[in-house]
Amino acid sequence: MSQVKIKSALISVFYKDNLAPIIELLKANGVTIYSTGGTQKFIEEQGAEVVPVEDLTSYPSIFGGRVKTLHPKVFGGILHRRDNEGDLGQAKEFEIPSIDLVIVDLYPFEETVASGAAEQDIIEKIDIGGISLIRAAAKNFKDVLIVSSREQYSAVETLLKEKNGSTDLADRRKFAAEAFDISSHYDSAIFNYFNQEEGLDKFKVSERSGKQLRYGENPHQEGHFYGPMDELFDQLNGKELSYNNLVDIDAAVCLIEEFDASENAFAILKHTNACGVAIGTDVKDAYLKAFEADTVSAFGGVLVCNQTIDMAAAEELNKLFFEVLIAPAFDTDALELLKGKKNRILLVKKQNLTAKKQYKSLLNGVIVQDRDLVTDQAADFKTVTKREVTEAQKKALVFASKVCKHTKSNTIILATENQMLASGVGQTSRVDALRQAIEKAKSFNFELKGAVMASDAFFPFPDCVEIAHEEGIEAVIQPGGSIKDELSINFCDEHNMAMVFTGTRHFKH
């Protein structure tokens, strides 16, 4: 049956916002409405007649409302096949009426968990009847329209108006697909709540909001983003975010969140690696110091700051072609200036990242790990050389380590206490990474004497500290842990260099 005239409906919802127009349309079309509890009262307040579910089933709502609609006369009315003579015969024999439309939503389980409610309150928000009605109606989409969320009320209202209270098979199938999306998401949320304690080795993630991107990493690849992006950002200007934009934005946000709100921090990234990071006396100063580290790579980069972008900074930023600028706020005059380039993406960052896990597809499965949330602090330093680090060097080492943590391995960062001088990124050997950093620093006229060096992993040989010493670098931070640590320590002692171990490796692949 392609087209079905809605003659009867079962309505049982938690949220009643914007339901009234649908009730009015059903009433106008002479639809028999079955309902119970608070929904029944609401429908009757709209002036529509209601057949109580209890009258249909001859059973009251029992167990504190836990069992209301779980009955053969309800589920039989939804599930019997209208084109099957056997089903029709049984429906007649047991006086089971057809139900053509089911409007039901689910108890707010995720919202209750997020509120910090007691476990018993959370358990009571695990919907049984609602989820069963959704699955039943969605399964029998050939005959039944399932409306499973208040988000669909507007679409249903339009559908009923345009088709005079009838539905087509294509309509019902689409709503069925959305229903299974809702039910599977709901079950995943419940499982993940229980699995916080049980720790079953299972992986379930569900994101209901998504959008298709212009393309993936390259134009021949299709790309999508799934997640509530608008919770993190407001986009004030620019073209639609691309796959590569999103990857770089993620890297930029992770890096800038290493810095305290009391610091004026600015970073410039290209292909997820920082090409400039600095702390300044104000935003303009921080930007200029970050830009100074690599004035070539900054072109077309993703920029991020942890302070409001003011006019002084905007005037400097406006001289550079960049893809994205992220900040917690923009002064009005600064925003107007920066919006002068229509494709320039300007994002207001509204909150910090909260995810504790990260995952990606790999081989024929998914790999999952905890996010690296360890930030090396001076209190974690273990001085392993005779020479102690100065207070200024401690600050520089902490700064360099923060940048190093967010740079592709193998990596070396050269820095002062408020400026990255250069980086060596994504190299197959740590020596290559260091040589790349030195060459880059010199190409932008930085003096390395007195600078510090950070490494994301231990030195298996003393070659890196030997090369660093030749360039005048005086302090080093690394996790330690090599069976040949003593070789690097001994060289530092012999050449009056200071070195600290943190005990924490920061590989990033």
Side-chain angles (χ1 to χ4, degrees):
M1 296 172 66
S2 177
Q3 191 167 77
V4 173
K5 181 73 174 177
I6 296 173
K7 297 178 182 178
S8 60
L10 172 65
I11 306 175
S12 179
V13 295
F14 187 87
Y15 297 106
K16 299 164 185 68
D17 322 51
N18 303 316
L19 182 62
I22 296 175
I23 302 301
E24 190 63 34
L25 286 167
L26 296 178
K27 184 174 66 169
N29 282 281
V31 174
T32 300
I33 301 176
Y34 299 95
S35 191
T36 185
T39 307
Q40 176 185 340
K41 181 181 177 183
F42 175 82
I43 295 170
E44 290 171 338
E45 289 171 351
Q46 310 309 308
E49 292 185 10
V50 178
V51 178
V53 169
E54 292 85 352
D55 289 359
L56 174 64
T57 64
S58 299
Y59 264 89
S61 173
I62 57 178
F63 308 131
R66 282 189 164 198
V67 179
K68 291 183 286 190
T69 56
L70 294 167
H71 192 279
K73 282 202 172 182
V74 174
F75 282 86
I78 296 168
L79 282 165
H80 79 270
R81 293 159 290 188
R82 278 60 159 177
D83 59 354
N84 183 294
E85 291 298 326
D87 285 10
L88 292 172
Q90 286 187 316
K92 183 176 181 180
E93 177 185 356
F94 294 107
E95 298 180 334
I96 297 173
S98 294
I99 297 174
D100 308 311
L101 167 65
V102 175
I103 302 177
V104 61
D105 60 12
L106 300 170
Y107 292 157
F109 178 81
E110 289 180 280
E111 294 88 338
T112 306
V113 172
S115 74
E119 177 158 278
Q120 187 53 44
D121 294 329
I122 292 171
I123 299 304
E124 287 304 314
K125 288 299 185 288
I126 297 177
D127 208 313
I128 304 301
I131 201 85
S132 302
L133 290 167
I134 287 172
R135 290 178 63 83
K139 177 177 180 176
N140 200 24
F141 68 89
K142 279 190 175 183
D143 304 305
V144 181
L145 177 69
I146 173 63
V147 180
S148 48
S149 167
R150 57 180 168 170
E151 297 168 1
Q152 300 169 321
Y153 288 174
S154 177
V156 172
E157 182 184 351
T158 301
L159 178 65
L160 294 176
K161 286 178 179 177
E162 290 179 350
K163 298 187 177 177
N164 298 313
S166 296
T167 63
D168 293 332
L169 181 60
D171 303 323
R172 298 191 296 275
R173 186 182 180 90
K174 178 177 182 293
F175 276 84
E178 292 175 351
F180 284 122
D181 167 46
I182 287 169
S183 65
S184 63
H185 177 83
Y186 194 75
D187 284 338
S188 292
I190 294 169
F191 168 77
N192 287 327
Y193 169 75
F194 277 92
N195 207 39
Q196 290 178 110
E197 287 192 17
E198 302 308 321
L200 302 178
D201 199 10
K202 312 293 180 184
F203 177 72
K204 285 183 173 59
V205 171
S206 175
E207 290 290 353
R208 293 201 57 239
S209 57
K211 63 179 295 186
Q212 184 165 1
L213 304 174
R214 296 198 305 274
Y215 50 80
E217 200 161 9
N218 299 292
H220 63 277
Q221 296 170 271
E222 189 173 294
H224 294 79
F225 175 81
Y226 298 100
M229 175 70 73
D230 56 354
E231 290 181 6
L232 280 180
F233 302 108
D234 284 333
Q235 183 168 348
L236 305 183
N237 191 66
K239 59 188 178 182
E240 193 172 301
L241 292 168
S242 71
Y243 180 100
N244 291 332
N245 288 154
L246 290 168
V247 173
D248 284 334
I249 288 167
D250 176 69
V253 168
C254 288
L255 173 57
I256 206 67
E257 288 184 2
E258 294 286 347
F259 297 94
D260 190 81
S262 64
E263 301 171 306
N264 298 310
F266 203 104
I268 304 170
L269 289 86
K270 200 74 170 285
H271 298 294
T272 75
N273 292 307
C275 50
V277 186
I279 296 171
T281 54
D282 54 29
V283 174
K284 174 183 174 181
D285 181 54
Y287 163 66
L288 290 175
K289 285 178 178 175
F291 178 66
E292 189 180 27
D294 188 341
T295 58
V296 175
S297 298
F299 182 86
V302 170
L303 284 54
V304 63
C305 183
N306 66 348
Q307 304 295 334
T308 299
I309 303 298
D310 57 22
M311 189 60 172
E315 287 175 338
E316 291 297 332
L317 289 162
N318 201 44
K319 299 173 184 177
L320 175 70
F321 169 74
F322 59 84
E323 287 276 335
V324 183
L325 173 59
I326 310 161
F330 294 78
D331 283 344
T332 302
D333 53 354
L335 179 61
E336 287 308 307
L337 175 63
L338 293 170
K339 286 172 71 174
K341 301 288 177 65
K342 67 177 183 178
N343 288 332
R344 180 183 279 163
I345 297 168
L346 304 176
L347 298 177
V348 171
K349 180 173 175 285
K350 299 191 287 188
Q351 64 182 50
N352 282 352
L353 299 176
T354 57
K356 299 293 189 292
K357 299 280 186 180
Q358 56 185 180
Y359 46 88
K360 63 180 178 180
S361 61
L362 188 130
L363 299 175
N364 61 345
V366 175
I367 192 167
V368 183
Q369 68 170 354
D370 296 333
R371 283 183 61 208
D372 184 357
L373 299 176
V374 175
T375 299
D376 298 327
Q377 304 290 351
D380 304 321
F381 291 178
K382 176 185 176 183
T383 304
V384 293
T385 52
K386 294 176 182 177
R387 179 177 172 177
E388 296 280 347
V389 291
T390 65
E391 288 304 311
Q393 287 173 335
K394 282 183 183 178
K395 291 179 182 178
L397 292 170
V398 168
F399 176 89
S401 178
K402 288 176 179 179
V403 180
C404 192
K405 170 184 167 181
H406 294 278
T407 308
K408 292 286 186 182
S409 300
N410 288 309
T411 185
I412 292 288
I413 299 295
L414 305 179
T416 63
E417 65 182 276
N418 58 17
Q419 184 181 29
M420 185 184 89
L421 304 181
S423 61
V425 303
Q427 298 301 303
T428 52
S429 82
R430 208 155 299 282
V431 170
D432 286 344
L434 175 55
R435 292 194 187 282
Q436 181 189 58
I438 291 169
E439 180 181 349
K440 199 167 190 179
K442 288 181 177 179
S443 71
F444 291 104
N445 301 313
F446 283 111
E447 172 57 60
L448 293 178
K449 183 172 177 57
V452 303
M453 174 174 73
S455 173
D456 58 333
F458 64 63
F459 299 126
F461 304 101
D463 42 13
C464 281
V465 290
E466 291 170 0
I467 296 167
H469 170 67
E470 292 173 5
E471 301 299 331
I473 292 165
E474 297 180 355
V476 179
I477 183 171
Q478 58 139 318
S482 168
I483 59 173
K484 296 183 178 180
D485 277 343
E486 286 301 318
L487 296 178
S488 295
I489 294 169
N490 290 341
F491 181 88
C492 288
D493 283 339
E494 291 166 6
H495 296 84
N496 196 32
M497 295 174 68
M499 183 160 63
V500 299
F501 286 0
T502 63
T504 304
R505 190 181 71 185
H506 293 293
F507 269 165
K508 186 182 179 190
H509 290 94

